[in-house]
Amino acid sequence: MTAGPTPIPPRVSQVMAEPVLYHRAPAFVELYGSVLERLKGVFRTQNDVLTFAASGSGAMESAVANLTAPGEPVLACAAGKFGERWIELAEAYGAEVVTYAPAWGQRLDPAEIDRILGDHPQIAVVFATLSETSTGVVHDVRAIAEVARRHDCILAIDAVSGLGAAELRQDEWGIDVVVAGSQKALMCPPGLAFASVSEKALDFASERGNGGYYFDWAKTAKGQRKDPPDSPFTPAVTLFSALDVALEMIEEEGIEQVWARHALLARATRAGVAALKLDLFGDPGENANVVTALQLPAGIDGGKVPGVLRRLGITANGGQNQLKGKILRIAHCGYFGAFDILTSLSALEMALHELGHDVDHGVAVGAAQRVFVESPVPTAA
Ligand SMILES: Cc1ncc(COP(=O)(O)O)c(C=O)c1O
């Protein structure tokens, strides 16, 4: 129940046991082209989805490398650990970083972004996050995209944990760049990084010519646009085979249904937390569909909760940085169904009891069950 690497469906594991393909062999070239094409469906885009052998941070770095230049101002929005990564990356590349950093757990306020961009008309790029995994908050990137467009800014969104879990319609919402990774809702191992980049953002990057070498968008776009597509570097062939199968599963379920399943799992988790009379962390809202972050009771040693859960067979995340020991994060991102939630809530009840909290056993499980009984969305295939 962590937000990645997440569990992998048996079908995906099995295909990775097959012989490793040579990346210029017809079988791989065909698979590569098919995966690149079908990835667009998950991003809801017509863009090329540029693919790198890297973790999600590699895709974030590609965005910063290609969109920034030393001394040029950018806006980085951060209300958690991963938003802060945008700030760190932009600083590492020498950009002049204007930050909008409300407290961890807050939702980014599009009106505030509007105000900052109004005060800094020279800013041409905005970085923000879809699902802030450290707090559970899913930000309103659609509204942020409207603001960015009004100020004629390129918007780059980190959807590493959000893609395939939280609703995201890149083209319809007008988001220039979406970056993601393979090990979250895409149900694959870590190692593939994606950057779905609009023509406008590609042109903007080309004008700067600053993308470095491996992460240079123009280089990868040129290779992927060949017929048949070619990768400028050796692709992570085994992970492409895995992603081929994972995409098949997403296509069978339908991306809208995948989002609905995540929403249901999150609703049931929130109902369980409420039944335990525990509070959610921050300002998650109704669309916190990727990770449920809950405040641990003050009377227990919260830092011990993940360890007790692990002994019971559940791997979940505690808080990061200043939230260590204060919150628990139960992820429902990827290959999860109703019984993963029910089992986790059951283990949470037992763990809280073991650590001295007064628990009415079964209340969280019962509350979540009622959500599933009322809206029986099928479990993951
Ligand atoms: C929202 C978000 N952004 C970025 C990252 C970093 O991705 P990676 O660890 O794959 O580099 C993560 C990882 O958990 C994440 O959840």
Side-chain angles (χ1 to χ4, degrees), residues 55-57 60 82 85 131 133 158 160-161 183-184:
S55 77
S57 302
M60 292 175 76
F82 295 105
R85 190 158 297 181
S131 155
T133 320
D158 165 6
V160 172
S161 67
Q183 79 275 23
K184 313 269 184 183

Side-chain angles (χ1 to χ4, degrees), residues 112-193:
E112 191 58 16
I113 295 173
D114 192 26
R115 189 192 64 72
I116 295 171
L117 293 177
D119 287 351
H120 297 83
Q122 66 284 25
I123 289 177
V125 184
V126 177
F127 296 100
T129 313
L130 174 62
S131 155
E132 176 48 76
T133 320
S134 63
T135 67
V137 171
V138 173
H139 295 293
D140 187 352
V141 297
R142 183 183 197 170
I144 295 171
E146 273 173 36
V147 170
R149 201 166 39 251
R150 221 177 304 136
H151 292 272
D152 201 22
C153 288
I154 301 264
L155 174 65
I157 291 294
D158 165 6
V160 172
S161 67
L163 182 81
E167 181 180 3
L168 174 71
R169 303 172 189 271
Q170 181 175 9
D171 288 0
E172 194 182 320
W173 294 356
I175 303 172
D176 303 286
V177 178
V178 174
V179 300
S182 50
Q183 79 275 23
K184 313 269 184 183
L186 292 183
M187 306 183 291
C188 285
L192 284 181

Side-chain angles (χ1 to χ4, degrees), residues 276-294:
L276 281 167
K277 299 193 170 49
L278 298 177
D279 290 325
L280 297 171
F281 175 71
D283 177 23
E286 285 301 303
N287 62 345
N289 294 342
V290 187
V291 173
T292 298
L294 58 107

Side-chain angles (χ1 to χ4, degrees), residues 313-365:
I314 301 292
T315 308
N317 296 122
Q320 292 168 297
N321 299 18
Q322 69 269 29
L323 295 180
K324 252 197 179 87
K326 299 203 170 115
I327 66 168
L328 179 74
R329 291 175 299 146
I330 299 175
H332 19 73
C333 166
Y335 185 56
F336 289 111
F339 283 90
D340 298 304
I341 301 302
L342 296 175
T343 312
S344 302
L345 289 171
S346 173
L348 176 60
E349 292 177 356
M350 291 166 70
L352 292 174
H353 168 82
E354 182 173 325
L355 292 169
H357 187 64
D358 188 18
V359 173
D360 183 4
H361 290 281
V363 284
V365 175

